[in-house]
Amino acid sequence: MNLRQIEAFRAIILHGTMTAAADQLRTSQPSISRLIAELETATKLKLFERRAGRITPTEEGLAFYYEVEQSFTGLEHLAQAAHDIRFFGSGRLRIGAIPAMALGFIPEVISLFRTRYPNVTISIQMHNEVAVTRWVASRYCDIGFIANIIDAGSIEVEPLYRLPGVCALPRGHALASRKVIRPQDLEGETFISHALGDGARARMDQAFDSRGIRRSLTLESPFGAIICALVGQGLGVSIVNPMVRNDYRREDITFVPFKPCIEFEGNIIKRANERKGGLVDDFAMIAHEHVRSLYPQTDERPAIPSYDMVLNRPASL
């Protein structure tokens, strides 16, 4: 297996045909066909179906593409990353974040940061934890916001929050009026899962499996924002990070506390053993301050706040 074969495979997925892939890679269609044949031999996978002159990815091909895309994350930005590394200065801040924080929380932090640094150029990129970690490690981003910590020796981690997950239900669901949802309440429900490998997914599965509670697990996504959108369409229920809940204050979703507590974490990552400068450290400090304003903490390591704090309602409700 070599890079040229992978490039040919990726180009076909992105552009739909071998001819378009050949144009993109400035080569011939027979060359693309040969590269794919070599890749299928090397991987022992059938990556495409070929019928009536058309080529479509197989299930194996789509699964392999997902892994390929993780490896390609950031490669298309190398020229810009090299420029930024050479010319990085105190007037630019590059932020990477997972969707759970990038869609609502980080813009709020940027707004607070702007009151202190109105002239700083800010770039924000959104992707999964693997990509955000890679961006920070390679200096493509100066600071990152993730949930699950990815093993990377060049990264240092600051815990940002620990919050109890809330149950997301379609509006009008039979359980929407409950004060608390428990595992047994979701017996037989279509449950929209987080991706395998996600720490929160493992904690959820343990909460249900240890009690012998069966759910219908036919939908999953690595992104809480997508899970909420699926819940809003009435396609199932889930347990989500309350940070995501704050972005979905809409009539089509009801959020209810869930017990036992399913903990969701947020972490700040920076490059280790490197002088960060004022902007990076100040942005992290403002992020911590904003979390404390949303969910008052007393602990040095963020404590799990009450559901009343998470749901932003009086404790008497």
Side-chain angles (χ1 to χ4, degrees), residues 19-147:
T19 300
D23 290 342
Q24 175 68 22
L25 297 179
R26 298 182 181 180
T27 187
S28 65
Q29 189 272 335
S31 176
I32 294 292
S33 181
R34 175 180 55 78
L35 288 167
I36 295 303
E38 292 172 352
L39 182 60
E40 288 184 322
T41 299
T43 60
K44 296 182 173 59
L45 297 174
K46 185 177 182 181
L47 301 174
F48 295 99
E49 294 281 0
R50 300 161 177 83
R51 293 178 183 172
R54 301 186 64 181
I55 185 169
T56 57
T58 63
E59 289 296 322
E60 289 181 332
L62 290 173
F64 186 63
Y65 170 71
Y66 177 81
E67 299 302 326
V68 166
E69 200 59 30
Q70 305 312 300
S71 299
F72 266 80
T73 298
L75 287 178
E76 294 174 350
H77 304 288
L78 284 179
Q80 182 61 47
H83 176 275
D84 288 344
I85 291 169
R86 288 197 306 273
F87 297 103
F88 174 72
S90 62
R92 182 177 179 84
L93 182 66
R94 297 158 300 184
I95 305 163
I98 60 172
M101 288 188 263
L103 297 176
F105 175 75
I106 295 299
E108 291 170 358
V109 176
I110 289 174
S111 179
L112 295 169
F113 183 81
R114 278 286 194 194
T115 64
R116 306 185 193 184
Y117 298 96
N119 298 319
V120 171
T121 299
I122 298 174
S123 169
I124 179 169
Q125 303 287 336
M126 181 176 74
H127 213 302
N128 59 32
E129 286 149 338
V130 173
V132 172
T133 301
R134 185 180 297 123
W135 287 342
V136 174
S138 67
R139 297 187 179 89
Y140 179 67
C141 287
D142 307 305
I143 187 170
F145 292 81
I146 62 174

Side-chain angles (χ1 to χ4, degrees), residues 194-234:
H194 292 66
L196 287 170
D198 187 304
R201 164 73 180 265
R203 292 187 286 275
M204 288 179 213
D205 289 348
Q206 171 64 19
F208 288 96
D209 295 345
S210 65
R211 294 167 173 80
I213 306 299
R214 297 173 62 88
R215 299 162 292 158
S216 176
L217 304 178
T218 57
L219 285 169
E220 68 176 45
S221 172
F223 301 123
I226 294 177
I227 290 174
C228 283
L230 292 169
V231 171
Q233 291 296 315

Side-chain angles (χ1 to χ4, degrees), residues 248-269:
Y248 280 82
R249 295 179 180 275
R250 306 183 319 197
E251 295 183 356
D252 52 3
I253 303 178
T254 298
F255 296 96
V256 180
F258 182 87
K259 293 184 179 180
C261 173
I262 304 296
E263 180 180 312
F264 285 81
E265 291 191 8
N267 294 286
I268 298 174
I269 56 173

